[in-house]
Amino acid sequence: MAMHNVRIKLFINKITAYLNPYQRITIPEHDAERLRRSELFVAVEAYLSDDTRIHAARKLKAELGSEEKKLQASIDDDQEIIVTSDNGVTLWWYAETEFPKSNVTSFSPGRRRFYRVIFHKSNRKYVLDTYLPEVIKKGRAAIAENRQHRLFTNSPRSRSSSYEAEKTCWTPVAFQHPASFEKLAMDPRDKQAIIDDLTDFQEGKDYYERVGKAWKRGYLLFGPTGTGKSTMVAAMANHLKYDVYDLELTAVKDNTELRKLFVNTTGKSIIVIEDIDRSVDLTDVKPRGKKKDNKRKSSSESDSSTTLLRKAVDKDDDDSTKLTLSGLLNFIDGLWSACGGERIIVFTTNHKDRLDPALIRPGRMDKHIEMTYCRYEAFKVLATNYLKINDHQLFEMFGEIQQLLEEVDMSPADVTEHLMHAEKKGADTCLQDLVAALIDKRKDDAAAKEKAKTAEAK
């Protein structure tokens, strides 16, 4: 009897499908295992929440996600949104929720949410091959635009080998750094060159696929302390709207852990290793029994972070328990670097000459950016930011400062210290303080050079 009823139901469905000229596609919220939300569902939700489409719905839902900057509105259940595609095809979208008929306890979500799209069956190929992929693309773009960017740091490795421990190797916080290229103290021409390079990378997916390269790019930021290397990273992240992964190498035990960290990063991200010359000394890693050559490094150049990492490197004799230069190079541009896409890797250093040439060659660190002392073009940016003085006023007032900045090496951070609190002290007082500081530093530099010459002569 049951089989007979099934056959009748199938026959009715065939007749209905033959007479009904429309087809529908159901997009459930969760995957088959009900463990995570479907990426397609999330993309459709963002696509339909666009202001140009959602205005037709009478009832909306508003939610504030943990990673979003603002309220996100979406269509409520039993609402209809009619969309006309670019080539004139009409589609009807609906949001619906089904609730279980029984009260059986389950660890999976009880209710089932889904979107349905209905269209004429003559447009089936277009909807599947063109329209829905475009929905995914636009939905992902909307998600990236609205989400709160995050700053991650790698947690110390847990002794536990559980799945949960593997998924918590990065600890996130909201990324709220206010840096921007507009306010970055740098020559405008140099800034524009960097912006153009970042834009080419961000829009270069097709190019990287065509030439057969992993979609990644390396930047080496080098220069004295206080020249804005960390601020540059923040400006890059805000410009691209990427997450930032701050990789602390001293917390990484071996190459295997380094690979796990990389695999657990996401696309649209910047992976940063700051002060790489101070946090790691991989050139000293030798096979067991060979003495390390430390003649190039004086005791004054050794610091606690390097000592900690060397202890971690030398703890075991087996190479599989070491963080090595080879492991770091593979992290940057080996096979593992191609896992995922749209990633930027940034090294910062105060001493470029101390780095192994293999670490910073093109293909690993593609673009080398020197962060210099504050010169006049960078000072004009700082004066505009802190003193609210435009370029015309700068030209008339700052001839002496321009000359001093060409003669004296002072970092943008030190210059900024003399321009702060202009609202209380007044712009003129701030500028006078800066001129006095530059003159004093010029005298100190001259005295230091003279002292060095005298010592050399002896």
Side-chain angles (χ1 to χ4, degrees):
M1 183 68 179
M3 182 61 69
H4 179 69
N5 291 337
V6 170
R7 289 177 178 174
I8 293 177
K9 186 175 182 179
L10 289 174
F11 178 76
I12 294 174
N13 287 340
K14 287 181 180 180
I15 296 296
T16 303
Y18 178 79
L19 297 176
N20 185 2
Y22 293 95
Q23 289 185 332
R24 73 179 183 183
I25 296 175
T26 299
I27 302 169
E29 180 179 13
H30 291 89
D31 60 18
E33 291 78 20
R34 308 294 296 275
L35 296 177
R36 61 181 180 178
R37 299 185 82 198
S38 161
E39 184 180 358
L40 177 56
F41 180 93
V42 174
V44 167
E45 188 171 58
Y47 167 79
L48 294 177
S49 298
D50 185 271
D51 291 339
T52 60
R53 303 178 186 91
I54 204 171
H55 72 279
R58 293 181 59 250
K59 294 193 300 180
L60 304 176
K61 294 188 299 183
E63 298 176 322
L64 182 62
S66 60
E67 299 178 6
E68 295 176 0
K69 300 178 181 178
K70 58 184 180 181
L71 286 172
Q72 184 68 39
S74 59
I75 61 173
D76 203 353
D77 291 347
D78 303 321
Q79 294 294 293
E80 178 186 72
I81 290 183
I82 302 175
V83 175
T84 302
S85 68
D86 294 338
N87 68 344
V89 173
T90 301
L91 304 101
W92 293 264
W93 283 96
Y94 301 91
E96 299 182 33
T97 301
E98 289 182 352
F99 294 91
K101 297 180 180 179
S102 64
N103 294 324
V104 177
T105 302
S106 172
F107 291 103
S108 62
R111 64 191 179 94
R112 294 181 61 248
R113 293 185 61 215
F114 48 85
Y115 285 106
R116 283 200 175 112
V117 58
I118 298 176
F119 51 90
H120 197 279
K121 60 185 179 182
S122 63
N123 297 314
R124 180 177 182 275
K125 181 174 176 58
Y126 165 76
V127 171
L128 291 175
D129 296 346
T130 303
Y131 175 71
L132 285 181
E134 188 66 22
V135 167
I136 296 172
K137 180 180 178 181
K138 291 181 179 179
R140 286 173 174 169
I143 292 169
E145 180 69 25
N146 293 325
R147 73 184 179 93
Q148 170 67 59
H149 307 296
R150 293 174 294 175
L151 171 65
F152 294 83
T153 186
N154 52 308
S155 307
R157 190 173 72 165
S158 172
R159 294 182 180 179
S160 170
S161 60
S162 67
Y163 172 80
E164 192 62 29
E166 294 291 339
K167 299 302 289 182
T168 57
C169 55
W170 291 105
T171 302
V173 296
F175 184 72
Q176 298 176 330
H177 200 293
S180 67
F181 277 107
E182 181 183 4
K183 298 185 180 301
L184 190 65
M186 177 183 276
D187 188 304
R189 292 168 296 183
D190 295 337
K191 281 197 290 188
Q192 190 58 50
I194 297 170
I195 292 171
D196 293 342
D197 191 77
L198 290 170
T199 302
D200 289 343
F201 168 80
Q202 189 176 37
E203 299 174 353
K205 181 180 181 180
D206 293 339
Y207 166 78
Y208 282 89
E209 289 181 353
R210 179 168 59 83
V211 301
K213 291 181 62 177
W215 190 11
K216 64 177 185 58
R217 190 156 177 80
Y219 288 81
L220 175 66
L221 308 183
F222 66 97
T225 302
T227 52
K229 294 183 288 295
S230 297
T231 304
M232 169 66 79
V233 173
M236 293 168 65
N238 286 330
H239 176 75
L240 296 170
K241 298 179 180 177
Y242 283 4
D243 290 330
V244 177
Y245 289 84
D246 182 17
L247 178 59
E248 178 55 62
L249 284 181
T250 57
V252 180
K253 184 177 184 297
D254 52 38
N255 296 335
T256 300
E257 185 177 352
L258 187 63
R259 287 194 295 268
K260 289 177 180 178
L261 285 165
F262 185 84
V263 168
N264 280 284
T265 63
T266 62
K268 296 183 181 295
S269 63
I270 299 176
I271 303 171
V272 186
I273 303 178
E274 293 198 273
D275 296 321
I276 190 169
D277 59 301
R278 293 172 58 84
S279 65
V280 64
D281 187 14
L282 296 172
T283 56
D284 285 345
V285 177
K286 305 283 186 182
R288 186 182 182 184
K290 290 190 178 181
K291 187 177 180 180
K292 296 178 181 179
D293 179 12
N294 289 323
K295 292 181 180 179
R296 293 186 303 128
K297 286 192 174 284
S298 66
S299 59
S300 61
E301 291 173 353
S302 177
D303 58 24
S304 58
S305 61
T306 302
T307 303
L308 286 173
L309 182 61
R310 187 176 291 113
K311 288 180 179 179
V313 169
D314 295 336
K315 184 177 180 181
D316 297 298
D317 294 325
D318 187 352
D319 284 343
S320 65
T321 61
K322 294 179 180 179
L323 177 60
T324 66
L325 177 61
S326 175
L328 185 58
L329 296 181
N330 285 326
F331 170 85
I332 300 170
D333 72 343
L335 292 175
W336 287 96
S337 69
C339 297
E342 200 169 353
R343 289 183 178 92
I344 289 176
I345 300 175
V346 178
F347 289 167
T348 73
T349 178
N350 295 342
H351 304 283
K352 179 182 176 182
D353 58 315
R354 295 182 185 175
L355 300 179
D356 191 306
L359 197 61
I360 59 176
R361 69 163 176 79
R364 289 177 178 139
M365 293 295 104
D366 304 286
K367 192 172 182 64
H368 295 196
I369 302 173
E370 183 176 8
M371 307 297 291
T372 63
Y373 290 108
C374 187
R375 304 306 179 200
Y376 187 58
E377 291 299 323
F379 167 73
K380 289 197 292 185
V381 177
L382 293 175
T384 301
N385 293 343
Y386 289 91
L387 307 181
K388 300 180 180 179
I389 300 176
N390 59 42
D391 286 352
H392 177 69
Q393 292 170 307
L394 288 171
F395 181 78
E396 293 180 344
M397 298 171 61
F398 300 149
E400 183 179 10
I401 292 178
Q402 181 176 9
Q403 182 179 351
L404 286 168
L405 288 174
E406 295 301 322
E407 299 174 359
V408 178
D409 290 339
M410 181 176 284
S411 70
D414 289 334
V415 172
T416 297
E417 284 299 312
H418 298 286
L419 303 182
M420 296 178 67
H421 311 300
E423 294 182 358
K424 294 181 179 179
K425 297 165 57 176
D428 290 341
T429 301
C430 290
L431 293 173
Q432 290 170 8
D433 291 345
L434 175 60
V435 170
L438 288 169
I439 292 174
D440 289 343
K441 193 171 190 309
R442 182 171 61 180
K443 292 178 181 178
D444 293 341
D445 291 345
K449 288 181 181 179
E450 187 64 29
K451 185 178 180 179
K453 287 182 180 179
T454 302
E456 186 179 349
K458 292 181 179 180

